Amino acid sequence: MMENDIFKALADPTRRTIFEKLASSQSMNASALRNGMSISQPAMSQHLAVLRQAKLVDEERQGRFVHYRVNPDGLALIVQWVARYSTFWPDRIDALRQTLKEMDQ
Amino acid sequence: MMENDIFKALADPTRRTIFEKLASSQSMNASALRNGMSISQPAMSQHLAVLRQAKLVDEERQGRFVHYRVNPDGLALIVQWVARYSTFWPDRIDALRQTLKEMDQ
DNA sequence: CAGACACATAAGTCCGTGCTTATGTGTCTG
DNA sequence: CAGACACATAAGCACGGACTTATGTGTCTG
């Protein structure tokens, strides 16, 4: 199941770090992502494969580099999942509304 | 880290099922949760311990029963995490806004 | 074309984790 | 108080997953 792939992909802190790095940049290749992370090249490649399979990132080959970027639709399932259960708690959904409002500024 | 506990807790499909059952009811004891799930009593107890440690559920002892219920604040960290990265994609955040709007009716 | 480079894949190891059976703890009831 | 009941904990096992080293694949450059 796809929802399961996403949760499992995000369960690993290293993969969340990689995802956050990608989210804070337009795109990065695998080597650039390794900067500042004590992680081997194969490990990075394997993590990216997991994120790719979960459709959380897209890849684009340019010559011998592969540029990775966040897939904008990737987190949609998580958002829907959370929103589904948030309906039971008006307080929480209000907090989310507030977060969105602050993001407008 | 707490955020890590939540992601790891939700990474297991059985625990997500348990969480969903709790979310769709006021409260349930461990035995009631097992209904319809082919899962042993210790396994259920262990899953509930993980959800409890991640602060996704609360427990309340009443006699020899322990009633479990969803902790309304539990998903807050996930919501914040998702919302943080959603800022990069206006389309997605608009979809979330739409979801919230529909929930108003 | 040969070598360097960016990345993927293979294969093996180790540890976390989800399950089991067995037993312990606490509470209710006859 | 003895037994039944609800749940937790202990201990062992089996599997998955995150890492390693080694090697393969594709691309650029001199």
Side-chain angles (χ1 to χ4, degrees), chain B:
Chain B
M1 189 197 189
M2 199 184 250
E3 184 181 88
N4 197 45
D5 289 340
I6 297 182
F7 274 109
K8 281 200 182 301
L10 293 177
D12 183 78
T14 302
R15 278 195 293 270
R16 284 203 303 280
T17 300
I18 294 171
F19 184 84
E20 292 170 21
K21 285 189 118 183
L22 284 178
S24 62
S25 74
Q26 288 294 342
S27 80
M28 278 187 176
N29 57 53
S31 297
L33 279 166
R34 287 182 60 204
N35 289 338
M37 299 185 67
S38 56
I39 185 179
S40 69
Q41 178 267 316
M44 174 60 76
S45 183
Q46 289 158 17
H47 279 309
L48 287 170
V50 172
L51 289 170
R52 189 179 345 122
Q53 209 219 330
K55 299 215 189 328
L56 284 168
V57 304
D58 290 329
E59 65 175 0
E60 184 187 356
R61 177 136 212 155
Q62 286 185 7
R64 54 184 171 176
F65 293 86
V66 177
H67 294 277
Y68 286 91
R69 77 189 71 243
V70 165
N71 172 16
D73 296 328
L75 287 178
L77 280 177
I78 298 272
V79 169
Q80 288 169 18
W81 191 89
V82 170
R84 182 150 49 106
Y85 298 108
S86 295
T87 56
F88 295 99
W89 319 298
D91 292 354
R92 287 294 106 213
I93 210 67
D94 280 352
L96 179 53
R97 256 184 254 270
Q98 187 60 31
T99 299
L100 292 177
K101 185 169 290 187
E102 285 163 5
M103 281 162 46
D104 280 339
Q105 277 118 56

